[in-house]
Amino acid sequence: MKIDYYALGLKVGLECHQQLATRGKLFCSCKPYLFKGEPEIIFLRRLRPTQSELGQVDPAAFFEFQKGMKILYEADAETSCLVEMDEEPPHELNREALDVSLTIALMMNAKPVDEIYVMRKIVIDGSNTTGFQRTCVVAVDGSINVDGKNVPIQHICLEEDAARKIGEEGFLIRYRIDRLGIPLVEITTGPVINTPEEAERVALAIGKILRSTKRVKRGIGTIRQDLNISIRDGALVEIKGVQDLELISKVVEFEVQRQLNLLKIRDELRRRGLREDELKGEFFDVTSVFRETRCQILRRAISQGKIILAVKLPKLAGLLGFELTPGLRFGGELADRARFWGRVGGILHTDELKSYGVSDEEISELRRSVGAGEEDAVVIVADKIENASDALKAVVERVREAINGVPEETRAANPDGTTRYMRPRPGAARMYPETDVPPIKITREHLERLRAQLPEPPEEKIKRLMSSYGINEKLARQLLDMEYDDLFEFTVKETNVTPTVAAATLTETFKALKREGVKIENLTDEQIVEIFKIVALEKTSKESIPEIVKWLTEHEGSSPMDAIKELGLTMVSEEKLKSLIEEYLDKNRDLISERKLGAIGALMGIIMKDLRGKAKPELVNKILREKLEERLKG
Amino acid sequence: MPIGGSKVGERLPGYRGLALKMLLEAGADIGDLIRIVKDNVVLEGILIPRSEYSDDKHVVIKSRSGYNIGVEITPATRVERIRAEMKPLFAPPPPPEQRAGLPKVTILSTGGTIASRVDYRTGAVRPVISASDLYSIVPELSDIALIDAEILFSIFSEDLTPKHWSAMARAAADHISRGVDGVVITHGTDTMGYSAAALSFALQNLPVPVVFVGAQRSEDRPSSDAPMNLIGAVYAASRAPFAEVTVAMHETPSDEAIIIHRGTKVRKCHTSRRDAFKTVNSKPLARIVNNKIFILANNYQPRDLERKIILRSEFDERAALIKFYPGMNPKIIDWYVSEGYRGIVLEGTGLGHARRECFPAIRRAIDAGVIVAMTSQCIWGRVNMNVYSNGRDLLSIGVIPLGDMLAETALVKMMWCLAQSKSIDDAKNLLIANIANEFSDRTVEHFEPPKFSRREGALEIEN
């Protein structure tokens, strides 16, 4: 079935986060890289919620505190200093990062603010040692053109990346702070995107502009998308951390599906006449019902001294098993909340109890214990009393929200494009000024200087590459995508190599080699230029390039000349070629006498098999033809 | 005793010149939603106060997304007031209920980072929170003690003077004689070591502990060390077996252990770290982990509610701390003498030395009745003026060596001795007497806590 997203009133806004390739971090001079291996520094912290300058406490922040988490931070001395440890105030805002973000702002026709204020955005899940992320609006009110449509850019922010989570054991979360403080630029579009596919195209267009600055990081995890998605009658849901561009349209499709199904549940609950006051949130200790149960999960829980707590969900029979998106049932949404608020492993409900080995007698006894009829559902959870009742409170709250449709919340993207509950949506209350960094004035002169050096917009550059170098559009686009466009132009100007050879090598050849597992990223620009230089000087043939590249990536610090010597790919001189061809002709007398001039194709095959990379085929062909004609005449 | 304190803000704090004029014309107040139209750009947001050190050309607004931005005001800019919004106001949650039957602790608030929040006048942090605010922000305190809070001052510690030490000592003694189980003094960290030394001398015969506490990260951030330090301090004040003047701060960068230092032996040794305070030339007194106290030095004065406190709260400010440096002009010493100073603590080099060129000036000072004492700028170790002739000569001139006493403690003690003595000889005798563990006879191998997980009483991570 084709979904008419326009009719559903789909609105999507993107928040694109891109790491910048600066020398230092945003507020200190640490190396903006990740470390591998064992940490040199370990420390333990707790974070508390605080009030904003407007005197409000953010509910999301308060909630994360309630969970009582402790955080273990890991660091090494190269990538972290006292600033990341929150043991020293931030240094001044990195001017290099500021210039890159302003450049991006200007390319997106945004208006830089007159004075930049660094803010603290409260995040107390531990991903920032301070308990807040430092962030600032650099420019507002821009727009980009995506396939003829004007997409407004609301904000361009410069902010510090967060620490990366590497594990969680009960009440302890582990983070590495190497990533903390790497400059990120955040591009926020207006909610004007109307289809899943359009969301992907807008993200792609933003990515191209970012990369055209040549000052952004490449590779997995260096660009992350958050999506704000809503449909008519649904709610604004923020989905965080989509790393793969190709996943964007899928995430949007699934979220629309989820919201539509939640609306179906709302309608069904209304039809069944469920009122909010019927959701009493009375919990029953039903441990005794399951003393002799054959359900493994419950048996184990009871033997560990946990209790089984139950709540009746009136009129919800059959709805908990309703599938919202592939693999996610409505009961799964309840379980997500229970896990988050109650720190329990999960929940069980009457729609699925039988499949877990609970007997019919136990189910009827359970229903009796909580006063549930056939039209009601019962949710049970096995844990310590506080955790279990927190979990069930969250379950009841989620059902209450279901009566009204779709709850506003922040969700996290799974690798398959589905999502899971992350936390309630944070409000503006979680922002307050970073008083350790003074405001920064952006002067007209500064902007003029940046404007004079703006990179060429990607679409214009593609057109220019095509017209100036005679390469086709596909090659031109690939050069930009792979960020070889500048190297391509430099090479063609410096080496007289044929533009199409250079472009095809940098794109198609390199891609093919990558697929074979060749580490192209080990190749330096100097080595690449040198390869084209020796091809242009006919020291070797263009056919040898893949072998040379492969050899160079395996022999660090070597030159392309070393490669052709080692691999025996030096060109055979014309004199030598002539005598070699004579030898081939001698060896193939029968063939020649049989096919006459028609033998040339077969001979070319035989000769080039041996001389591939050592002789230009055109030259071999010319000499062969001359010699053959000579022989046939004589 | 009103010392310092904040000015009552004017209507549009920080705004001057053209920006102020435009805002007044628009009838805008701090906290109002305003609209700024400029070069065809329309910006809306809540008007935020501006730092008084900033220029007069920008207006700061908080946009709907929560970000603050500065907008340059030109004669062509239009400013409109839309409506009133929430005012920037700090409203702490209501304090938790006091539970009867718990030990009684008084929190005396003096200011500093532990009691500071964002100041929109300067854009920096500034002390404003009262002791009862701290209590409401750290509700765990209600499980530990019955708290009585009093604001003594609200100033940064670098602005404190010996007069403030006297006031702190009097207030602490007053509460103690009314029968509290302990006193906590919240204090800026910069000069907390000086104040702790001062009260160590001023509060004699203590029946209960007096615990100074500060923070290196302001209370308004989630990662602040203030709550944990405060909990540790109140815990020590209410339950520690010792009755001494101490300092409670983080032991390491981790939120794991609070270390209790003796007031006379503690020094701020780092500008910004949580564990900036170190006990020098001795062991810290105790460590608190998970509301358990581990005693590290057994020679303490035990808690005894029957003991009657003796208050000796006067300090003579005519004492100076002079750091000797290569090429120091001896006239510096002469200047202090001519200004009527009665005591000089020298921070000499190494074992307690100064340039020979300074000797005549030192002799002139001593001849004029000034007490001259020697400490070392090495911080760690004790002075020994018998090893080199330079030291022996200084001794013969009459310079008093102060063993392993911290230079800062020595200055405080000099001020106290001068105020407590009728004659120079009395003051000298008092100076070299061990009053509050400011001297230690033995220095053992430098005390360094073992690493993270192996430490005595280290926090076990729950699973």
Side-chain angles (χ1 to χ4, degrees):
Chain A
M1 186 189 71
K2 187 131 174 56
I3 297 175
D4 184 349
Y5 289 101
Y6 287 91
L8 292 175
L10 173 64
K11 282 183 186 164
V12 181
L14 292 181
E15 268 177 42
C16 172
H17 303 89
Q18 168 74 62
Q19 285 183 352
L20 304 183
T22 46
R23 281 180 291 275
K25 290 191 180 178
L26 194 53
F27 291 105
C28 66
S29 307
C30 286
K31 295 228 169 92
Y33 309 125
L34 307 183
F35 75 89
K36 294 190 184 90
E38 289 303 303
E40 297 169 280
I41 304 152
I42 293 175
F43 57 102
L44 185 88
R45 291 275 169 79
R46 290 168 211 209
L47 295 172
R48 285 178 178 251
T50 52
Q51 295 177 313
S52 79
E53 71 208 293
L54 298 177
Q56 301 153 327
V57 174
D58 179 64
F62 187 69
F63 182 60
E64 275 154 12
F65 170 66
Q66 274 190 324
K67 294 204 298 178
M69 283 292 180
K70 283 175 212 154
I71 308 124
L72 194 68
Y73 291 107
E74 300 181 352
D76 83 338
E78 278 274 284
T79 59
S80 300
C81 66
L82 291 183
V83 173
E84 287 94 334
M85 289 177 72
D86 188 40
E87 286 284 32
E88 182 177 306
H91 303 179
E92 274 191 49
L93 183 87
N94 182 329
R95 295 301 161 130
E96 188 190 0
L98 178 62
D99 279 359
V100 180
S101 62
L102 284 170
T103 298
I104 291 165
L106 293 174
M107 290 186 77
M108 296 186 173
N109 306 306
K111 283 103 195 154
V113 301
D114 300 324
E115 205 177 37
I116 291 177
Y117 279 81
V118 178
M119 305 296 288
R120 299 170 174 174
K121 189 192 275 184
I122 298 290
V123 188
I124 62 166
D125 60 3
S127 57
N128 291 74
T129 48
T130 49
F132 48 76
Q133 178 191 33
R134 296 188 182 97
T135 172
C136 53
V137 170
V138 167
V140 296
D141 199 15
S143 71
I144 56 168
N145 189 296
V146 182
D147 302 333
K149 176 167 166 175
N150 201 49
V151 176
I153 301 295
Q154 291 178 336
H155 285 136
I156 291 161
C157 295
L158 180 59
E159 53 192 36
E160 43 180 12
D161 204 343
R164 58 192 173 112
K165 191 169 167 177
I166 55 164
E168 186 165 356
E169 302 124 45
F171 289 89
L172 187 82
I173 316 179
R174 278 170 195 272
Y175 280 97
R176 281 209 171 173
I177 58 172
D178 46 8
R179 199 178 69 182
L180 180 59
I182 294 181
L184 277 185
V185 68
E186 182 197 70
I187 314 292
T188 310
T189 76
V192 299
I193 297 164
N194 302 114
T195 68
E197 179 270 327
E198 190 188 3
E200 205 162 299
R201 275 188 287 127
V202 172
L204 195 68
I206 291 173
K208 275 192 187 144
I209 295 173
L210 295 175
R211 285 197 299 276
S212 72
T213 63
K214 317 284 183 205
R215 309 279 291 277
V216 302
K217 288 206 178 207
R218 302 294 306 269
I220 295 162
T222 58
I223 184 162
R224 301 191 295 273
Q225 311 276 352
D226 294 350
L227 307 169
N228 294 308
I229 305 174
S230 68
I231 58 171
R232 193 173 306 114
D233 293 336
L236 183 59
V237 169
E238 183 185 12
I239 293 170
K240 293 199 112 45
V242 184
Q243 295 204 6
D244 189 352
L245 203 67
E246 278 126 50
L247 208 58
I248 290 175
S249 60
K250 213 165 190 183
V251 169
V252 178
E253 280 167 31
F254 282 148
E255 180 55 23
V256 170
Q257 212 179 75
R258 198 184 67 93
Q259 297 203 13
L260 285 174
N261 284 326
L262 286 174
L263 292 176
K264 277 186 198 156
I265 289 177
R266 175 197 68 180
D267 295 343
E268 176 61 17
L269 289 175
R270 285 183 182 170
R271 200 188 59 77
R272 295 182 185 186
L274 176 66
R275 299 185 318 272
E276 281 198 37
D277 60 351
E278 288 177 80
L279 292 165
K280 294 213 176 59
E282 281 176 326
F283 309 144
F284 301 86
D285 184 343
V286 294
T287 318
S288 61
V289 175
F290 299 98
R291 285 270 175 240
E292 309 294 327
T293 189
R294 295 173 68 178
C295 168
Q296 298 249 338
I297 300 172
L298 295 177
R299 276 240 311 264
R300 196 177 320 121
I302 292 173
S303 74
Q304 288 168 348
K306 292 175 176 171
I307 64 146
I308 300 172
L309 207 61
V311 68
K312 176 175 101 168
L313 299 177
K315 299 174 184 166
L316 260 89
L319 289 180
L320 301 186
F322 187 77
E323 194 175 65
L324 302 172
T325 53
L328 175 69
R329 290 164 202 281
F330 182 49
E333 292 237 326
L334 305 191
D336 275 354
R337 291 286 183 94
R339 273 192 283 269
F340 184 72
W341 294 85
R343 307 176 296 272
V344 297
I347 60 168
L348 291 174
H349 55 78
T350 39
D351 286 359
E352 59 177 9
L353 275 178
K354 273 182 94 162
S355 56
Y356 285 95
V358 178
S359 71
D360 287 338
E361 292 73 42
E362 285 166 345
I363 293 176
S364 0
E365 185 53 32
L366 172 64
R367 285 187 180 280
R368 229 188 336 272
S369 305
V370 302
E374 283 305 311
E375 71 284 9
D376 305 326
V378 183
V379 167
I380 60 172
V381 60
D383 211 300
K384 286 186 287 192
I385 178 83
E386 316 89 77
N387 292 358
S389 59
D390 279 352
L392 291 187
K393 260 182 236 163
V395 165
V396 171
E397 184 53 36
R398 179 65 190 84
V399 173
R400 201 184 302 279
E401 290 168 0
I403 301 176
N404 299 316
V406 186
E408 282 201 358
E409 59 192 21
T410 301
R411 302 181 64 84
N414 296 323
D416 67 349
T418 60
T419 58
R420 62 185 185 277
Y421 178 75
M422 204 171 155
R423 52 177 158 80
R425 256 177 70 77
R430 64 178 183 152
M431 290 273 230
Y432 62 113
E434 170 51 273
T435 47
D436 296 340
V437 181
I440 300 147
K441 281 191 191 65
I442 304 297
T443 62
R444 234 148 259 162
E445 299 72 51
H446 186 180
L447 290 176
E448 283 320 309
R449 206 163 60 240
L450 291 174
R451 225 186 282 274
Q453 311 162 357
L454 282 191
E456 208 173 352
E459 290 304 316
E460 282 177 33
K461 184 152 199 181
I462 287 167
K463 282 190 197 123
R464 187 175 59 76
L465 290 181
M466 288 163 64
S467 63
S468 313
Y469 299 100
I471 60 173
N472 65 33
E473 185 177 340
K474 188 176 166 217
L475 284 179
R477 281 194 187 279
Q478 282 185 1
L479 280 173
L480 258 73
D481 283 349
M482 296 176 70
E483 276 187 31
Y484 278 129
D485 45 338
D486 285 351
L487 186 63
F488 163 76
E489 287 199 77
F490 179 81
T491 305
V492 171
K493 279 180 196 140
E494 288 295 304
T495 69
N496 294 323
V497 71
T498 325
T500 306
V501 170
T505 303
L506 289 169
T507 58
E508 272 148 20
T509 309
F510 277 15
K511 266 195 209 164
L513 286 169
K514 262 189 190 170
R515 272 197 295 273
E516 287 174 32
V518 176
K519 291 194 166 48
I520 296 290
E521 60 274 14
N522 291 353
L523 220 55
T524 65
D525 287 358
E526 291 71 31
Q527 284 176 319
I528 295 174
V529 173
E530 187 62 26
I531 293 172
F532 289 125
K533 204 174 269 171
I534 61 181
V535 169
L537 292 173
E538 300 194 343
K539 294 204 168 122
T540 187
S541 73
K542 67 176 193 286
E543 284 76 15
S544 330
I545 294 176
E547 267 184 90
I548 296 171
V549 168
K550 209 169 157 187
W551 190 88
L552 283 173
T553 60
E554 288 159 4
H555 296 82
E556 208 182 314
S558 306
S559 73
M561 281 309 283
D562 298 336
I564 59 172
K565 270 179 215 143
E566 280 299 312
L567 294 166
L569 293 173
T570 29
M571 289 283 223
V572 177
S573 68
E574 200 168 328
E575 282 311 301
K576 176 94 175 130
L577 193 60
K578 278 179 182 159
S579 71
L580 278 172
I581 287 175
E582 290 285 5
E583 283 173 32
Y584 280 104
L585 293 176
D586 290 345
K587 273 190 237 160
N588 293 284
R589 280 176 211 279
D590 297 350
L591 187 73
I592 297 167
S593 57
E594 193 184 307
R595 297 202 202 162
K596 310 288 184 233
L597 212 51
I600 203 161
L603 284 168
M604 267 305 281
I606 293 162
I607 297 168
M608 285 316 292
K609 192 164 171 264
D610 295 339
L611 293 183
R612 187 174 173 79
K614 298 181 185 178
K616 288 173 81 173
E618 307 83 68
L619 186 61
V620 174
N621 192 286
K622 179 172 158 263
I623 296 169
L624 181 64
R625 184 173 295 277
E626 282 168 11
K627 297 268 179 205
L628 196 62
E629 280 170 354
E630 247 170 58
R631 289 205 178 199
L632 290 170
K633 254 187 247 165
Chain B
M1 182 175 172
I3 300 177
S6 58
K7 267 188 285 176
V8 180
E10 60 271 56
R11 186 176 150 202
L12 293 167
Y15 288 103
R16 293 175 286 127
L18 182 61
L20 179 65
K21 184 167 162 274
M22 290 242 177
L23 289 172
L24 287 174
E25 279 170 10
D29 271 322
I30 298 301
D32 286 352
L33 183 65
I34 63 166
R35 181 183 295 133
I36 303 175
V37 187
K38 185 191 154 188
D39 310 332
N40 298 322
V41 180
V42 182
L43 295 154
E44 283 185 11
I46 293 167
L47 182 62
I48 294 286
R50 190 166 165 78
S51 159
E52 66 183 10
Y53 303 119
S54 312
D55 65 25
D56 58 356
K57 294 183 186 63
H58 291 77
V59 167
V60 187
I61 56 169
K62 180 184 255 318
S63 67
R64 227 160 48 114
S65 57
Y67 282 96
N68 290 6
I69 56 174
V71 188
E72 194 185 352
I73 299 298
T74 63
T77 312
R78 255 185 21 246
V79 179
E80 298 160 25
R81 177 180 181 275
I82 303 174
R83 61 171 178 271
E85 288 274 328
M86 221 179 320
K87 302 260 179 223
L89 166 83
F90 177 66
E97 246 173 66
Q98 299 258 0
R99 293 216 257 128
L102 286 172
K104 292 193 195 79
V105 169
T106 294
I107 298 182
L108 300 174
S109 173
T110 71
T113 299
I114 191 160
S116 62
R117 287 195 69 85
V118 172
D119 174 6
Y120 299 100
R121 266 179 358 104
T122 59
V125 282
R126 113 176 233 100
V128 281
I129 295 185
S130 69
S132 58
D133 288 339
L134 285 174
Y135 184 33
S136 67
I137 291 162
V138 189
E140 291 98 316
L141 295 177
S142 68
D143 297 329
I144 302 173
L146 211 61
I147 301 214
D148 180 22
E150 186 187 336
I151 304 175
L152 288 186
F153 346 106
S154 191
I155 38 183
F156 286 123
S157 71
E158 59 270 30
D159 293 327
L160 292 171
T161 68
K163 288 186 186 61
H164 295 95
W165 303 340
S166 302
M168 275 183 241
R170 282 196 302 272
D174 183 38
H175 283 270
I176 289 167
S177 45
R178 278 190 265 149
V180 296
D181 295 294
V183 172
V184 169
I185 303 179
T186 67
H187 200 290
T189 54
D190 275 12
T191 69
M192 186 158 69
Y194 292 85
S195 293
L199 266 66
S200 301
F201 299 117
L203 300 176
Q204 306 255 310
N205 222 31
L206 268 176
V208 296
V210 172
V211 187
F212 279 85
V213 65
Q216 292 283 78
R217 294 289 164 284
S218 59
E219 195 282 324
D220 55 11
R221 32 182 121 197
S223 62
S224 172
D225 51 337
M228 190 178 158
N229 289 349
L230 195 62
I231 290 167
V234 171
Y235 197 83
S238 61
R239 286 164 172 80
F242 47 80
E244 296 190 15
V245 176
T246 58
V247 168
M249 290 290 284
H250 267 57
E251 184 176 16
T252 67
S254 285
D255 289 335
E256 261 195 295
I258 295 298
I259 196 89
I260 307 284
H261 307 276
R262 277 202 158 108
T264 51
K265 283 304 213 189
V266 66
R267 190 175 187 281
K268 188 177 186 182
C269 292
H270 197 277
T271 56
S272 61
R273 285 172 64 135
R274 284 165 175 76
D275 59 351
F277 282 80
K278 299 290 176 202
T279 288
V280 177
N281 294 328
S282 185
K283 267 186 163 186
L285 189 48
R287 170 182 298 125
I288 303 181
V289 180
N290 273 352
N291 282 352
K292 270 197 205 99
I293 299 176
F294 298 85
I295 295 295
L296 305 174
N298 281 312
N299 60 338
Y300 58 83
Q301 167 167 283
R303 180 191 282 270
D304 179 4
L305 284 172
E306 300 300 308
R307 202 182 291 127
K308 288 279 166 276
I309 188 170
I310 300 167
L311 180 65
R312 298 254 183 274
S313 62
E314 299 77 28
F315 293 88
D316 188 331
E317 294 187 33
R318 289 169 294 176
L321 176 58
I322 303 175
K323 184 173 195 142
F324 171 77
Y325 53 88
M328 189 179 97
N329 189 334
K331 282 183 187 156
I332 291 170
I333 294 165
D334 291 329
W335 181 85
Y336 281 100
V337 176
S338 70
E339 286 293 307
Y341 275 69
R342 300 177 61 209
I344 289 173
V345 174
L346 286 171
E347 226 184 72
T349 53
L351 289 163
H353 304 133
R355 182 186 183 202
R356 298 200 85 84
E357 290 284 306
C358 290
F359 288 8
I362 293 170
R363 192 188 305 275
R364 281 194 292 277
I366 291 169
D367 288 349
V370 177
I371 303 174
V372 180
M374 182 64 79
T375 61
S376 175
Q377 56 190 247
C378 294
I379 300 174
W380 270 274
R382 64 183 67 234
V383 297
N384 187 329
M385 300 171 71
N386 297 314
V387 179
Y388 296 99
S389 60
N390 183 307
R392 289 192 288 270
D393 290 345
L394 283 167
L395 282 177
S396 72
I397 294 169
V399 173
I400 302 167
L402 291 182
D404 70 337
M405 205 192 309
L406 279 168
E408 295 85 353
T409 298
L411 171 71
V412 171
K413 190 178 182 189
M414 180 73 88
M415 291 180 173
W416 183 75
C417 291
L418 290 169
Q420 303 301 324
S421 308
K422 292 202 172 66
S423 70
I424 291 174
D425 283 344
D426 282 356
K428 280 183 183 169
N429 287 335
L430 201 52
L431 189 64
I432 56 173
N434 196 2
I435 308 284
N437 290 307
E438 67 273 26
F439 289 108
S440 42
D441 299 333
R442 299 172 63 236
T443 310
V444 291
E445 171 67 17
H446 178 55
F447 176 77
E448 191 172 359
K451 288 284 178 220
F452 186 61
S453 56
R454 287 180 291 117
R455 189 174 333 115
E456 171 193 356
L459 180 58
E460 277 176 19
I461 292 152
E462 297 164 39
N463 252 320

